[in-house]
Amino acid sequence: MACRLEADALLALWERALGQGASAREDALLGALPDAAAAPRTLGERNARLLALHAHLFGSELALLSHCPTCGNAAQFSVDCEALAAQTPATHAASPPHRLDTQGHSIEFRLPGSADIAAASSAPNDDEFASELLARCVLACTRDGASVPLRDLPATVLDALSQRMELLDPAASVSFELECPQCAEHWDARFDVGQLVFQKLQAAAERVLLDVDVLARAYGWTEPEVLCLSPARRAAYLQLVTA
């Protein structure tokens, strides 16, 4: 589906997002929403807005592809991103601090945001990434009234904390339970919403640039002159050139 932005606005948005890290790229993308508000407070709220952005730019149908981890068979499916965004829980849980009392420990924490993910992304492995993320989000931790360093918490307590965070912000990770039509294997397919939206934007931008290149070579027009053409006229000239 064609992007619903004018060609020059599409290229400008693509250029702002190009070469950015994931967090900054998503910030640039979200700026294209017609009712862009304050920055999302949670990862779930961010994903909901990115899904709304997909609906605004490309329509509500989101075509996805995953591969069976057992036999490699491709699984293609589509979802309604507007309906998916509407299922995202309200962000009443976004304001910290949250509290977890478990196994004699009392932990105050906030939910991670995109800046936390970006800061922890340089960790060398998944365990270090999780540790860095929790270190940024845990505000206080005590046992029997005495402060306890995060590194001294038992693994079971850390697991309980991670589960509570997921419960409070379930849309922080977008995934779908799939069944392979070939071998009946079940798996959980996770998708990076921001990356998907940017990939579609980049494909649309590359199509516009290709149009500009073809018409500039054929007629000697500049990029602004080509972009001033309506999509219908641009398509008509392209058809004449390739006839």
Side-chain angles (χ1 to χ4, degrees), residues 109-133:
F109 65 96
R110 61 177 178 81
L111 296 176
S114 57
D116 301 308
I117 299 296
S121 62
S122 60
N125 53 59
D126 289 346
D127 289 340
E128 291 293 331
F129 172 84
S131 296
E132 174 65 22
L133 195 61

Side-chain angles (χ1 to χ4, degrees), residues 2-243:
C3 183
R4 296 175 182 177
L5 284 179
E6 295 292 338
D8 54 348
L10 183 153
L11 291 178
L13 176 60
W14 167 73
E15 194 170 13
R16 287 196 300 272
L18 186 65
Q20 300 281 0
S23 179
R25 182 179 65 202
E26 290 173 5
D27 286 341
L29 292 174
L30 290 176
L33 279 172
D35 55 348
R41 294 169 293 174
T42 69
L43 296 176
E45 185 177 338
R46 191 178 192 84
N47 278 335
R49 292 194 193 179
L50 287 167
L51 289 167
L53 177 64
H54 183 284
H56 174 64
L57 295 181
F58 306 109
S60 61
E61 183 178 2
L62 180 61
L64 298 173
L65 172 68
S66 184
H67 290 86
C68 174
T70 299
C71 70
N73 185 61
Q76 293 180 309
F77 62 103
S78 63
V79 297
D80 187 312
C81 57
E82 288 182 304
L84 187 60
Q87 294 172 11
T88 302
T91 56
H92 62 271
S95 300
H98 304 290
R99 180 167 176 159
L100 172 66
D101 293 309
T102 182
Q103 303 176 41
H105 296 80
S106 181
I107 305 172
E108 289 188 353
F109 65 96
R110 61 177 178 81
L111 296 176
S114 57
D116 301 308
I117 299 296
S121 62
S122 60
N125 53 59
D126 289 346
D127 289 340
E128 291 293 331
F129 172 84
S131 296
E132 174 65 22
L133 195 61
L134 289 178
R136 292 178 61 87
C137 295
V138 171
L139 307 176
C141 180
T142 60
R143 181 176 57 230
D144 299 327
S147 179
V148 179
L150 185 65
R151 64 179 179 273
D152 292 341
L153 291 178
T156 53
V157 173
L158 294 176
D159 288 342
L161 177 58
S162 296
Q163 291 171 13
R164 177 61 64 85
M165 286 180 169
E166 291 177 6
L167 183 64
L168 288 170
D169 194 23
S173 177
V174 178
S175 62
F176 303 91
E177 294 182 0
L178 302 180
E179 179 181 354
C180 179
Q182 184 164 316
C183 70
E185 173 70 19
H186 290 79
W187 78 98
D188 190 42
R190 297 195 173 191
F191 293 91
D192 186 326
V193 183
Q195 183 178 9
L196 285 171
V197 174
F198 179 72
Q199 286 173 344
K200 280 202 170 182
L201 176 67
Q202 180 156 319
E206 288 172 352
R207 287 193 295 270
V208 171
L209 292 174
L210 182 59
D211 290 353
V212 170
D213 179 71
V214 171
L215 294 179
R217 291 175 186 273
Y219 297 107
W221 293 336
T222 64
E223 180 183 274
E225 288 172 332
V226 174
L227 296 182
C228 281
L229 295 171
S230 69
R233 286 190 178 186
R234 192 162 66 242
Y237 278 114
L238 287 168
Q239 188 173 16
L240 290 172
V241 170
T242 57

